[in-house]
Amino acid sequence: MTVPSFTLFARIYGYLSTRRKALYGITLLVVILGSLLSARIHLQEDIVAMLPDDGSSVAQDFQLLQLAPFSRKVVITLKGGTNTDTAALTTVADRLAQGLVGTGITSVTTGPANMAGGFFGWLVQSLPSLVTEQELVQIAAATAPVEVKSSLRKSYEQLLAPEGWALKGSIQNDPLSFSTIALARLQYMNMIPNMRLVNNHFVSADGKSALLVADSTVPMTDSAGARLLMERIQSQIASIVPPEMTTSVISGHRYTLTNADTIKKDLFIILTFNLIALLAIYIFFLRSLSAVFVFLVPSAILIIASGVLALISRDVFAVTLGFGGVLLGIADEYAMLIYFSCRQGGKDPGTITGEVARPVLFGAIATLLSFGVMMFSSLPGQRQLAIYSMTGIVASLLISLLVLPHLIKPEPTDIKQNLSRPWLNRFPRPLVIAVWLLVLALCGWQASRVRFNGDMRTVSMVSPELRQAEEELVKTWGDMRGKAMLFAEGKDLDSALALNDRLFNKLSGRIPAGDLVSLSPLLPSSGSQQASRERWAKFWQEGRAVQLAADLKREGSGFGFSPEAFAPFLKNLNSPPLATTIEDLRGAGMGEMVDSMIIRSNGVVRVLTLVPDRPEIIAALDPDLRTLPGVRLVSQSRFGDNVSRAIIKDFTRYMVLTSLLVLALVIVLFRKPSRIMLVLVPVITGLVCMLGIMGMLGIEFNIFNIAATILVIGLCVDYGIFMVCRLTEGSNHAAGRAVLVSGLTTLAGLGSLALAKHPSMHSIGITVLLGIGAGISAALLVIPALCRKDAP
């Protein structure tokens, strides 16, 4: 049977055969240029690579999650020893705070500023602009004559105590303890559940720990800056904190550093293992000095693909380079087919190249289509990975077809051993087909058990030390980061505050003050404040102010208070009430809180409200949110669900689009239904077995497995094309050997990813190892068994 030939490549071979020095020089120059460009690469290790950047709901939610309180802070817990008292603990906390301020850290907060003095005075003065109907009922009760007398008696007794001299001013300004009514509003401002204030310091409920919150100028995605920052923090802790005290540090920088270190170690292990495995496979199967050139192809491809990435963007995601181990295994399949065909000899190398060009080109186009689909991904990491892989495939194709045939010398005596025929014909056809169908049925049944996990924490590396620090943080301070966020958005601050007031009014009756965190009780909108002032004025205009002044004078004289003792209080009562502003809150020591609850960006003002991130609360919020346009809920738990849905949507879209493109290509190339089905056998087998074994082992499908699925389709269709061309078009047995050896090199590349400790790389390695392993077996065993003709 005549083997179809692409005469163009035969002519190209003839043309280049007289210009080999120039060909080798240009190839070497391209590799050197790629190496130089690769040196420019800046490795980016953060999870942003696998998060949408298309403005979708998931992308917006992720951006808003970054605005959560403490998400961009360095949180330090200082724990005292057995005999450490609170005073000693807070003293060390202050010293550490002072020592930390410097390079990389702009400020460190150990507690609210000026809370003891200015805050309570401001709170009483602001009451007219904050008061509610319920609070006026309480005030009415407090101003009854019998309650006035009781309050003044308590004030008198306090003044007689040793600390009475310090209370004189507060009693003059607030003899009836109106501040107590207003202080109830502070319950809605407690972001740290297990915290109490001791001398303006954040101290744990048991009094054994102090909290420090630091602002850093180092971006959380900057691994080099994060390393310097963490080293500086640890240095200051070592020099300031006494041995009997311990510290734990939590920040996004620490997560970045952990992931960066893990990825760098994994890259070294992956690439080293892969190169050793490739060398061993080449030595065992190729057994020729000419194999050195085949061995160099994947390395050259890796350099060229990395150089192209560096040209497009200097910032390269680490997971993309981690995929280089897989690319090494992919890149040699075309070179393998060229190598075995040329080594077998029997024909002019140009003729052999023309014959082999058909399956090589078909396979490359199928793989390029598979990866090309990822260019439409909303994930920047997947798009970059697609560029990386497609560049490597094109480079491998060109080197294999244009350069390699000139470097391989035919040795017919060595090649006469048919390594593929014993492998293909070892088992009876009925047995192979029966086992194949049984495995497909079992894996198809188990594939329904695969679960999609959108929790980004599962694909991020968390070291045991970091996990212990997380647990210590929750144990000491409560789940201060486990809150769902509600953003009230407005074109300006007042419109955002007005929407926030409406939200608070709906939530306050159902969620306790300890769980609900809102700015509304202390900073309502101008409209709400105006309503409160009118309510306040009406209350006192009913003769209560005059009556209260008389009651204070009369009851106060009985305890020895002068007639003018409470003049400051009465003056404030009769003065026109003032509006409450952000500046007032900052001046009262609440600046840190205000700045974390009001976010301004891109011409939009958002006011933040926090609620417990529990399913029953989140579900109950949905009806309320439908009546409050402009309020957006962002929940860590719901975010994971949304990502899961996005994964399923992308997975389905990619599967359908890739399958249609590959099917269309195969139909155009092979036309006969029987051959088309044969080509697709490895693809179907690989996908079904991958998903089935994942379901069987309880391995969850995450956002990185989408790339794995595309890889399975692209490679398995190559194996199908090679084998069908070999069995149906009368080509030599080189295809079987090429599939076997290139399959082993691919498995070596994927196996190296499975050795990675980083969850994302490990996930790709394990899942693709399953799919490609099944696809190779189907190509080498099932296709020959299903094909009605014996291989020629």
Side-chain angles (χ1 to χ4, degrees), residues 275-317:
L275 288 171
I276 293 173
L278 287 177
L279 184 60
I281 292 170
Y282 288 169
I283 291 173
F284 183 80
F285 285 97
L286 276 61
R287 302 178 184 177
S288 167
L289 289 177
S290 300
V292 173
F293 299 114
V294 182
F295 177 78
L296 292 176
V297 170
S299 302
I301 298 312
L302 196 63
I303 293 171
I304 293 170
S306 299
V308 171
L309 271 188
L311 269 179
I312 297 172
S313 172
R314 188 170 177 269
D315 293 322
V316 175
F317 296 117

Side-chain angles (χ1 to χ4, degrees), residues 11-21 23 401-403 406:
R11 291 198 297 269
I12 291 175
Y13 176 88
Y15 177 79
L16 293 176
S17 62
T18 59
R19 299 167 176 81
R20 286 176 177 167
K21 288 184 179 180
L23 176 65
L401 289 175
L402 302 182
V403 181
H406 298 275

Side-chain angles (χ1 to χ4, degrees), residues 143-188:
T143 55
V146 64
E147 291 298 327
V148 171
K149 184 175 182 179
S150 175
S151 296
L152 294 183
R153 179 183 292 109
K154 290 178 184 177
S155 298
Y156 175 72
E157 291 171 353
Q158 289 175 334
L159 288 171
L160 293 179
E163 66 276 9
W165 64 272
L167 298 175
K168 180 180 177 181
S170 62
I171 291 174
Q172 284 183 309
N173 285 284
D174 188 20
L176 303 182
S177 299
F178 284 0
S179 60
T180 303
I181 298 172
L183 278 173
R185 295 170 173 272
L186 284 181
Q187 298 177 79
Y188 293 102

Side-chain angles (χ1 to χ4, degrees), residues 211-235:
L211 185 69
L212 296 87
V213 182
D215 289 303
S216 175
T217 57
V218 179
M220 286 193 297
T221 57
D222 181 2
S223 59
R227 187 180 306 280
L228 294 174
L229 178 66
M230 290 297 110
E231 288 175 353
R232 185 173 180 279
I233 289 174
Q234 292 301 328
S235 173

Side-chain angles (χ1 to χ4, degrees), residues 485-506:
M485 297 182 292
L486 292 154
F487 292 91
E489 298 183 3
K491 60 182 180 181
D492 53 36
L493 178 59
D494 196 58
S495 61
L497 289 174
L499 185 57
N500 190 55
D501 290 342
R502 293 173 58 198
L503 175 63
F504 177 78
N505 291 335
K506 286 184 175 292

Side-chain angles (χ1 to χ4, degrees), residues 139 143-145 148 176 178 536-555 563 566 569-575:
I139 291 174
T143 55
V148 171
L176 303 182
F178 284 0
W536 177 268
K538 182 179 178 182
F539 178 84
W540 292 110
Q541 285 172 359
E542 295 174 355
R544 284 194 175 94
V546 176
Q547 183 61 47
L548 180 58
D551 290 344
L552 284 172
K553 185 175 181 180
R554 184 184 66 254
E555 299 297 343
F566 307 113
F569 170 72
L570 294 173
K571 180 181 179 182
N572 287 335
L573 199 64
N574 293 308
S575 298

Side-chain angles (χ1 to χ4, degrees), residues 83-162:
N83 300 319
T84 305
D85 58 23
T86 305
L89 185 68
T90 55
T91 299
V92 174
D94 287 337
R95 289 178 53 208
L96 181 59
Q98 293 174 1
L100 288 174
V101 175
T103 305
I105 295 180
T106 55
S107 64
V108 181
T109 302
T110 57
N114 302 320
M115 281 288 284
F119 178 77
F120 297 105
W122 167 82
L123 196 57
V124 174
Q125 292 178 4
S126 299
L127 191 56
S129 294
L130 306 175
V131 72
T132 64
E133 290 287 357
Q134 292 83 356
E135 289 169 337
L136 285 177
V137 172
Q138 294 177 271
I139 291 174
T143 55
V146 64
E147 291 298 327
V148 171
K149 184 175 182 179
S150 175
S151 296
L152 294 183
R153 179 183 292 109
K154 290 178 184 177
S155 298
Y156 175 72
E157 291 171 353
Q158 289 175 334
L159 288 171
L160 293 179

